[in-house]
Structure formats: structure tokens, C-alpha cells
Amino acid sequence: MNQLMPTLTLSNGERFVLKREGLKIGSMESICDITISDPEVSPLHGMVVKADEGWAVQELQSRIGLTVNGADVPRGSMTPLADGDVIGIAGETLTFHSADTFFSDAELQELNDLAQALSQGGEISEDAARHSIILLSDKIEAIASACGLSLESFETPQKPDAPDAETESSDSLKDQLMTLDEAKEEVEEADKEVNGEADSVPEKTVPFNEINSEWQLPTICFLTPMPRTVRRYKEKAICVKHTPYNIGADPKNDYVMNNSDRISEVHAQIVQNSESGAFAIHNKDERYGTYINNNLVPIDGTRAIKPGDVVQFGKHEYKVEKL
């Protein structure tokens, strides 16, 4: 059933389902749900939020302000939204619909075409399959967010003889991630560096204040991409075998990120405390940001990481592990 839900629609037809916690609008992609690429738009310009009765748009002390149906919204204030109201920010418009269909006609047609091709045993291109998977995953995330649920709280039902979810996930991503043998080779190379058998060992790493005892020398910091990062950006695992270790879009980095329009040339740097062996992230990005467990690392700031942490470079998410 094509359920009715509140949405915002951009001038190009792109739709966003309103979450329970609202939608942030601005020019900084790392913190906003809807990004408007315009130099006049503030990093966090405005927000559509759930009010006592219905929905409202809140102006967040932006540079140029925003409008509703052409009327200026006072700085820092909130204006209720009615079905069909148009929010204006710079040259962009966002149309509010209080009860929009969850899937657009085009999206439904795309999914129906895919289902028909599958039922008839026809061939499906990788791009078409990938686009449909992303479409469905985004809808699932929207449903979970609207209901105040986290997808991490759900477990996939397993058949009695079926492998566990972790094994299935590992098998499905085997072409994207570094193999175990490759990881072991990296560990052996790192052992040589620690024992002075390699020439590329840095004499001194960047110091930082927060030290975590879970890291013990010698050890390797291993960043495993989250499934969504693999699916959308085709990123691979990052094995930090020396420090400082640079990550970014520039080919000169130790690890070069895909989708470079969301990643700075030198986005971040992984460093290690020479005494404790603890690792940390040094943020060098001013636009999209670097996060640890959803907490923004200040520009030119350094924060410790530990196994189990989730590190985000722009939109790319990785889980911290150790080898």
C-alpha cells in the first residue's frame, strides 16, 4: 500500500520524507538532510520540525533568511506550514505536502519494472539493481526514522542451518573488502616496521591528549566500511600500517576516497601515540566534517578512537577495529 506521509519536494522533483526529529536544511552536507549548494546559504540555514499542531519551518539565524510563500520568516522564529506551502531559500524552493504518497509514480514504475524483469528471468543491469536497492534502503531508513527506530536494533531472522549475519555480510562484501590473507600480510609488514626492519617507520607521530588502553603495541588500526558506504561509494577497508596516515581525494594520500566531491583533498589524518599505541583522528576538513560516533571533530582537532567506534568522513562511515 502506498502510504501517505509528509514530504518536502525540491524544485528538481527530489523528495524528502519528514523524519520525526525534523529535516535540517543548509549548505553543509555533513550536518544537513537537505543540501543547497549556494554561497549565500548558511551551513545550517533552517529546519522543518514537528510542532504542536502539524509541521513548521524554523529560521536558524541564517545569513539571508528564508521565506514561506514569498513572505519573510523573522530571524530565529518559527512559522507553521500548511499543505502546499513553498519555502524559499536563496534560489531554491521546497514545497511542503502534509500527506504525500510514500513512493512517487516514477519510483513505483521503476520497482514494478524490476519485479517484472525478475519474474520473467530477464537480465538486469548492475546500475539498475544498485539504484533500486538504494531507493528501497532510503525508504526503509525514512520509515525507521519517522517511527523513532534504529535499524541497528533489528536482527535478520536466521534459518537453523544458515550462517550468522556477520558471515553473510562478509561473504557479500568479499569483493569490496580486503581479504584476511591480505590483512595478515599488512600485520607482518607492520611488525617489521615496529621492529626496525623497514625504512618507512615514522620517527614521531602527532601527540594527542586522550589515550585509550585498548590499543597495545604492536597493533594495527583497521577501518571497515559500513555496508551503506560499500554499496554507495564502493569503498574498501583501510589498513593503517603506518602513521601519520592521510585520507582524502588527492591521489597522493595513503588512502584515496571515491566520490571526491564530498571529500576534501586531505580530509583527515590518522595518528598514533608513540608511547601507548593509541590511535586518533585528526580532522583537516572544513566543509563536510569528520565525526566519531556522530560527534564532530573540530577543525584541526584530534580525538582518540577505540575499537567499535564509528568514524565518518563526509558521508563515508567506517567501523574501527584492531588487528
Side-chain angles (χ1 to χ4, degrees), residues 183-223:
K184 289 180 178 178
E185 290 178 4
E186 298 284 9
V187 173
E188 291 174 359
E189 291 180 12
D191 288 340
K192 292 180 180 180
E193 292 180 352
V194 173
N195 295 327
E197 299 175 11
D199 298 329
S200 60
V201 182
E203 295 182 0
K204 187 177 181 180
T205 57
V206 180
F208 54 92
N209 296 327
E210 299 180 55
I211 296 176
N212 189 284
S213 59
E214 293 190 46
W215 300 105
Q216 294 180 352
L217 290 171
T219 190
I220 294 295
C221 180
F222 197 69
L223 301 183

Side-chain angles (χ1 to χ4, degrees), residues 146-210:
C147 296
L149 300 175
S150 170
L151 293 180
E152 296 178 357
S153 64
F154 293 88
E155 295 182 359
T156 303
Q158 299 289 332
K159 296 180 180 179
D161 297 328
D164 58 29
E166 182 176 353
T167 302
E168 288 184 346
S169 176
S170 175
D171 290 342
S172 66
L173 303 179
K174 62 183 180 181
D175 293 332
Q176 301 290 338
L177 304 180
M178 183 178 293
T179 66
L180 181 59
D181 289 338
E182 290 173 325
K184 289 180 178 178
E185 290 178 4
E186 298 284 9
V187 173
E188 291 174 359
E189 291 180 12
D191 288 340
K192 292 180 180 180
E193 292 180 352
V194 173
N195 295 327
E197 299 175 11
D199 298 329
S200 60
V201 182
E203 295 182 0
K204 187 177 181 180
T205 57
V206 180
F208 54 92
N209 296 327
E210 299 180 55

Side-chain angles (χ1 to χ4, degrees), residues 111-124:
L111 295 175
N112 286 332
D113 291 344
L114 180 67
Q116 185 175 5
L118 287 172
S119 65
Q120 296 175 355
E123 293 186 359
I124 301 172

Side-chain angles (χ1 to χ4, degrees), residues 1-16:
M1 183 178 180
N2 206 4
Q3 297 289 342
L4 300 179
M5 303 186 71
T7 62
L8 286 178
T9 304
L10 292 173
S11 58
N12 63 4
E14 186 176 5
R15 299 191 316 160
F16 297 84

Side-chain angles (χ1 to χ4, degrees), residues 127-147:
D127 288 342
R130 183 181 296 277
H131 187 271
S132 296
I133 291 171
I134 292 175
L135 168 63
L136 288 172
S137 65
D138 286 344
K139 298 296 185 182
I140 292 171
E141 289 181 7
I143 294 172
S145 177
C147 296

